[in-house]
């Protein structure tokens, strides 16, 4: 009887454990062939930093930004105080677009003092996803190695209750539609990076990938968690994320260290296909 009881309990615990492993294990399987094939190609380096409007460790955060080999820098939760510090302490950085706000929705996009000669910023603008949203989202159109690439610094609503959760779903639906338009109508590779406020294995996250024709940059790089920053890695979750079209391959990515924000920064290095017809995920 004891043996039967143990088998019964083992079956009960094995099912949820198996489901969790099925969800998490793809993060450790990467497209190594594509990464190796493109290892000598010129890469684009993108840095995402959620500064946290309550964070007063200005020096630590700005020093971290200065130390990163980034071609493009997206900042979120940029308050007027943060923006003043950026202008004072990073005077050589070129602010391409900014909209500081006193709440958690302020944004900015910057280029480092030594701009990559292969990078041309064609256009930047504030968009709203969905259109009725008041949250500013930075959309950037760049030319990288003679190929137009569309970037989105996404910051979705935190799902605190039924209403905010439902609105976040609308934001993801709008982001997926944006991605599809860029890829199908304009034939542009797409990269979406930012504070998604949801994990890679959530239903709406998987829906965004499917409807937006996007792949997760975290795949193959393991348990790279970013929030809450003060917690040890096993207790954090990955809500600062980067998705991209299959015409882009992530060759390296890593969360940053604690800069006083409740989020860790996220640095991603990618390679973009030189041809609109190429699908790097099949290499």
């Amino acid at each position: 009887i004891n043996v039967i009881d143990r088998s019964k309990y083992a079956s009960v615990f094995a099912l949820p454990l198996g489901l969790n492993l099925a969800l998490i294990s793809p993060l450790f399987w990467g497209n190594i062939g594509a990464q190796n094939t493109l290892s000598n190609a010129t890469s684009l380096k993108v840095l995402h930093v959620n500064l946290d409007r309550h964070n007063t460790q200005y020096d630590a955060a700005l020093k971290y930004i200065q130390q990163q080999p980034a071609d493009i820098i997206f900042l979120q939760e940029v308050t007027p105080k943060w923006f003043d510090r950026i202008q004072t302490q990073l005077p050589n950085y070129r602010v391409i677009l900014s909209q500081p706000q006193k709440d958690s929705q302020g944004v900015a996009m910057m280029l480092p003092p030594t701009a990559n000669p292969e990078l041309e910023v064609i256009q930047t603008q504030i968009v709203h996803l969905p259109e009725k949203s008041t949250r500013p989202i930075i959309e950037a159109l760049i030319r990288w190695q003679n190929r137009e690439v569309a970037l989105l610094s996404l910051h979705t609503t935190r799902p605190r209750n039924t209403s905010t959760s439902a609105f976040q779903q609308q934001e993801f639906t709008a982001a997926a539609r944006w991605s599809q338009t860029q890829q199908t109508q304009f034939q542009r590779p797409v990269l979406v990076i930012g504070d998604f406020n949801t994990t890679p294995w959530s239903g709406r996250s998987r829906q965004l990938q499917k409807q937006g024709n996007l792949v997760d940059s975290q795949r193959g790089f393991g348990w790279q968690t970013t929030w809450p920053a003060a917690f040890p890695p096993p207790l954090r979750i990955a809500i600062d994320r980067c998705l991209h079209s299959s015409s882009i391959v992530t060759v390296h990515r890593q969360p940053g260290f604690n800069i006083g924000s409740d989020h860790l920064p996220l640095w991603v290095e990618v390679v973009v296909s030189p041809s609109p017809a190429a699908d790097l995920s099949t290499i």
Side-chain angles (χ1 to χ4, degrees):
I1 297 175
N2 289 336
V3 173
I4 295 174
D5 288 342
R6 289 195 193 101
S7 299
K8 187 185 300 181
Y9 282 117
S11 299
V12 170
F13 286 109
L15 180 59
L17 179 61
L19 291 174
N20 285 331
L21 287 174
L23 290 172
I24 295 172
S25 57
L27 298 180
F28 296 85
W29 302 336
N31 194 339
I32 304 301
Q35 293 178 21
N36 291 339
T37 300
L38 298 168
S39 60
N40 295 323
T42 303
S43 60
L44 176 68
K45 304 172 182 68
V46 183
L47 176 65
H48 153 75
V49 184
N50 184 318
L51 295 169
D52 184 359
R53 65 189 176 109
H54 300 298
N55 181 16
T56 58
Q57 296 185 36
Y58 304 109
D59 293 343
L62 298 180
K63 182 179 180 180
Y64 169 82
I65 292 172
Q66 286 180 301
Q67 294 174 338
Q68 304 315 302
D71 299 308
I72 298 173
I73 303 159
F74 288 114
L75 304 177
Q76 295 182 349
E77 297 204 27
V78 182
T79 63
K81 286 185 178 181
W82 264 112
F83 193 66
D84 288 343
R85 289 282 187 155
I86 290 167
Q87 290 185 305
T88 301
Q89 295 182 231
L90 301 179
N92 295 326
Y93 280 70
R94 181 184 169 195
V95 178
I96 301 298
L97 180 63
S98 65
Q99 186 171 316
Q101 296 189 183
K102 292 183 178 180
D103 57 18
S104 62
Q105 300 179 19
V107 294
M109 174 184 172
M110 304 191 306
L111 299 185
T114 305
N116 192 317
E118 296 193 64
L119 171 65
E120 177 190 353
V121 179
I122 301 173
Q123 177 184 324
T124 60
Q125 63 177 336
I126 297 293
V127 298
H128 301 278
L129 303 173
E131 290 184 2
K132 64 181 179 181
S133 173
T134 59
R135 184 183 294 271
I137 302 295
I138 292 181
E139 174 193 274
L141 178 61
I142 66 170
R143 182 170 286 109
W144 177 254
Q145 297 181 311
N146 299 317
R147 180 103 191 257
E148 287 189 1
V149 182
L151 299 94
L152 194 70
S153 177
L154 185 65
H155 190 182
T156 69
T157 302
R158 184 184 299 179
R160 291 183 290 267
N161 52 48
T162 303
S163 177
T164 54
S165 179
F167 190 73
Q168 188 195 68
Q169 179 63 69
Q170 295 180 45
E171 292 174 314
F172 277 114
T173 299
R177 191 178 302 116
W178 175 89
S179 175
Q180 278 284 8
T181 299
Q182 293 295 330
Q183 293 184 61
T184 58
Q185 183 174 338
F186 300 109
Q187 298 294 302
R188 294 168 180 157
V190 166
L191 185 142
V192 182
I193 191 168
D195 177 4
F196 285 33
N197 270 313
T198 191
T199 61
W201 47 85
S202 70
R204 62 188 52 172
S205 180
R206 294 197 300 271
Q207 185 179 26
L208 168 62
Q209 289 179 225
K210 182 177 180 180
Q211 294 180 347
N213 201 17
L214 298 166
V215 295
D216 194 343
S217 69
Q218 190 175 351
R219 186 160 186 157
F221 293 91
W223 191 253
Q224 294 190 340
T225 54
T226 61
W227 182 90
F231 285 21
L235 300 181
R236 296 194 301 252
I237 55 177
I239 64 175
D240 295 270
R241 305 178 53 211
C242 175
L243 307 179
H244 52 68
S245 55
S246 57
S247 52
I248 294 177
V249 164
T250 300
V251 294
H252 190 57
R253 81 191 299 277
Q254 63 182 28
F257 52 75
N258 195 330
I259 58 172
S261 170
D262 57 340
H263 294 252
L264 296 181
L266 178 62
W267 180 86
V268 179
E269 181 180 5
V270 302
V271 169
V272 182
S273 164
S275 168
D279 182 348
L280 300 182
S281 67
T282 61
I283 292 177

